[in-house]
Amino acid sequence: MTGAIVLQDGLIGKDWEEALYREGCARMRQEARERLEVLEAWLHGQAPPDWQVVGFRERTVVCRFGEVTVRRRLYRDGGGRYHFLLDEYLGWEPRQIATPSLQEAMVAVAARSSFREAAMVVEHLTAGVVSVMTVQRSVQRVGERVVEWERGEVEACFERGEVPEAGGRVVPWLFVEADGLYVRLQRAREGYLEIRTAIGYEGWKRLAGAGDRHRLVGKRVYAQADEGIDFWEGVSVAFGRVWDWSRIGLVVMNGDGARWIDEGAELLGRAVRQLDGFHLARSCYQAGGEMGSTLYEAIRRGEWAEGSRLLEQVRPGKGGRSAWEWAKKVIEARRGADWRVQVGLEKGEG
């Protein structure tokens, strides 16, 4: 019977899909090696005449159908620089594990789920041809290259004074919200890592037929956890590719009371700092109980005397004492007013 898969339990087993897939992948790996050898030879004929072949080197890359090892020529150009024509032609970066198409697919899956789930999905769909470890190493390498590139961009701007090309969007005010999230690390002495995130947007629009729900306009997200890059310098460069900082009328910096968020308002310039409504409202409720909403509105309106009076009238329980102390500091520092109150706008103007 031509083409039958002979197994111990008969002509075809229950894992026939995986068996056929692996067999097909083996054939494709052989075909890929042969085609890459032909391409490498053709590129050799196109090499500049002053380039010298100094030897051959093997490289193994992971494709959608598994690992493929190819032997290619190493060239030295007239300036003493070294090249692999095949790598450059196919866009294979140094130390890159997966081919660009497979790498793009793996990163896309990993960006939409946890890393463990993404790795398991890729391994399952490729019948084990692409392993969990391969996915891990590939995604990590992409992350490393992104961080290296971003460091170069930030250093060029803030250390060498190179002005990056400004984004084309200009708005009267740009809203920036920032927050941090601590995640537990595996097998690390520190135990936790803080991931800082900033969201930039131009305003909000009400969703049709969705009651009081809104969507952000022009939203961009920046997340970072690399101590080698100043967070706000990274934000400045990343958002600067979208918006023209020199032509933004005002930056509204929104976040909790963390000092590092204040530093963002100082760096970006022409910025007003606002405590975000969630943290402020929660603390006012914990501190003031039934009077919490009234206390919140007084602080938002910048009515500091009224806020102090309200705060003195409440006697929080043990659980609300820290919130009461925090609200007291906010009022004394006059920090919690709505940004429109701070710049003299009517509430409906922003």
Side-chain angles (χ1 to χ4, degrees):
M1 188 172 181
T2 304
I5 304 174
V6 181
L7 301 177
Q8 290 181 353
D9 58 344
L11 292 177
I12 192 167
K14 293 181 180 179
D15 63 343
W16 63 273
E17 287 182 273
E18 287 77 7
L20 284 173
Y21 185 87
R22 287 192 291 269
E23 182 180 336
C25 286
R27 294 178 181 177
M28 284 188 284
R29 289 194 294 271
Q30 179 60 36
E31 180 72 16
R33 281 190 289 269
E34 295 173 358
R35 293 194 180 193
L36 288 172
E37 289 174 1
V38 171
L39 176 58
E40 210 279 337
W42 178 81
L43 290 170
H44 177 58
Q46 312 300 313
D50 62 335
W51 285 23
Q52 295 181 347
V53 177
V54 297
F56 285 83
R57 302 291 188 274
E58 286 189 346
R59 178 171 185 173
T60 300
V61 294
V62 180
C63 311
R64 297 182 182 182
F65 38 83
E67 294 185 354
V68 174
T69 300
V70 59
R71 188 168 178 261
R72 68 264 199 267
R73 292 173 178 84
L74 174 62
Y75 298 86
R76 183 173 56 234
D77 64 22
R81 294 177 294 272
Y82 291 90
H83 303 266
F84 288 106
L85 273 180
L86 183 66
D87 296 26
E88 295 176 5
Y89 182 82
L90 295 175
W92 295 351
E93 298 288 341
R95 295 184 292 161
Q96 179 177 323
I97 301 169
T99 59
S101 62
L102 176 60
Q103 182 171 271
E104 181 179 353
M106 290 190 297
V107 171
V109 175
R112 288 166 173 80
S113 62
S114 70
F115 173 77
R116 183 179 297 275
E117 292 174 346
M120 292 177 63
V121 166
V122 172
E123 183 179 46
H124 178 71
L125 292 178
T126 60
V129 173
V130 179
S131 67
V132 169
M133 185 57 67
T134 296
V135 178
Q136 179 181 358
R137 289 188 292 130
S138 297
V139 174
Q140 286 179 341
R141 181 56 189 150
V142 171
E144 291 169 359
R145 290 208 304 272
V146 170
V147 171
E148 290 172 3
W149 173 80
E150 185 179 9
R151 283 178 180 172
E153 293 285 294
V154 171
E155 289 174 1
C157 178
F158 289 92
E159 294 185 16
R160 299 195 296 272
E162 299 176 10
V163 180
E165 183 176 353
R169 297 193 64 82
V170 178
V171 289
W173 39 68
L174 177 67
F175 300 91
V176 178
E177 297 189 14
D179 201 358
L181 173 67
Y182 282 91
V183 296
R184 185 183 295 274
L185 299 177
Q186 295 181 344
R187 298 182 297 276
R189 293 181 179 178
E190 293 81 3
Y192 289 88
L193 173 70
E194 184 183 22
I195 300 176
R196 293 181 175 181
T197 305
I199 301 175
Y201 57 97
E202 301 169 3
W204 46 88
K205 287 186 177 180
R206 186 184 300 273
L207 292 172
D212 197 34
R213 295 178 59 191
H214 296 73
R215 69 174 180 86
L216 300 181
V217 177
K219 182 176 72 173
R220 294 293 188 277
V221 179
Y222 175 84
Q224 192 243 90
D226 180 33
E227 296 181 353
I229 302 174
D230 180 86
F231 178 77
W232 287 112
E233 291 180 356
V235 170
S236 176
V237 172
F239 286 179
R241 300 189 194 98
V242 181
W243 294 285
D244 185 349
W245 288 117
S246 67
R247 300 167 65 191
I248 298 296
L250 181 70
V251 176
V252 180
M253 182 66 66
N254 199 37
D256 61 22
R259 172 57 190 162
W260 68 268
I261 300 179
D262 296 341
E263 294 171 357
E266 296 168 3
L267 174 68
L268 298 180
R270 294 191 305 282
V272 57
R273 177 73 161 91
Q274 175 182 265
L275 291 178
D276 74 272
F278 170 77
H279 288 90
L280 181 59
R282 182 180 64 180
S283 294
C284 287
Y285 173 77
Q286 292 174 343
E290 295 180 356
M291 296 178 59
S293 60
T294 305
L295 176 62
Y296 172 83
E297 290 297 333
I299 294 175
R300 273 302 196 229
R301 292 192 299 267
E303 298 173 353
W304 311 117
E306 176 66 7
S308 296
R309 185 187 69 79
L310 291 170
L311 198 62
E312 290 300 326
Q313 291 182 3
V314 299
R315 292 293 179 266
K318 184 177 180 181
R321 187 64 192 179
S322 60
W324 190 93
E325 295 287 351
W326 186 81
K328 186 173 186 295
K329 291 179 180 179
V330 166
I331 293 173
E332 291 175 347
R334 302 189 173 188
R335 294 194 62 194
D338 185 276
W339 70 274
R340 287 157 291 201
V341 172
Q342 296 184 52
V343 299
L345 291 175
E346 295 295 331
K347 196 163 185 179
E349 294 185 70

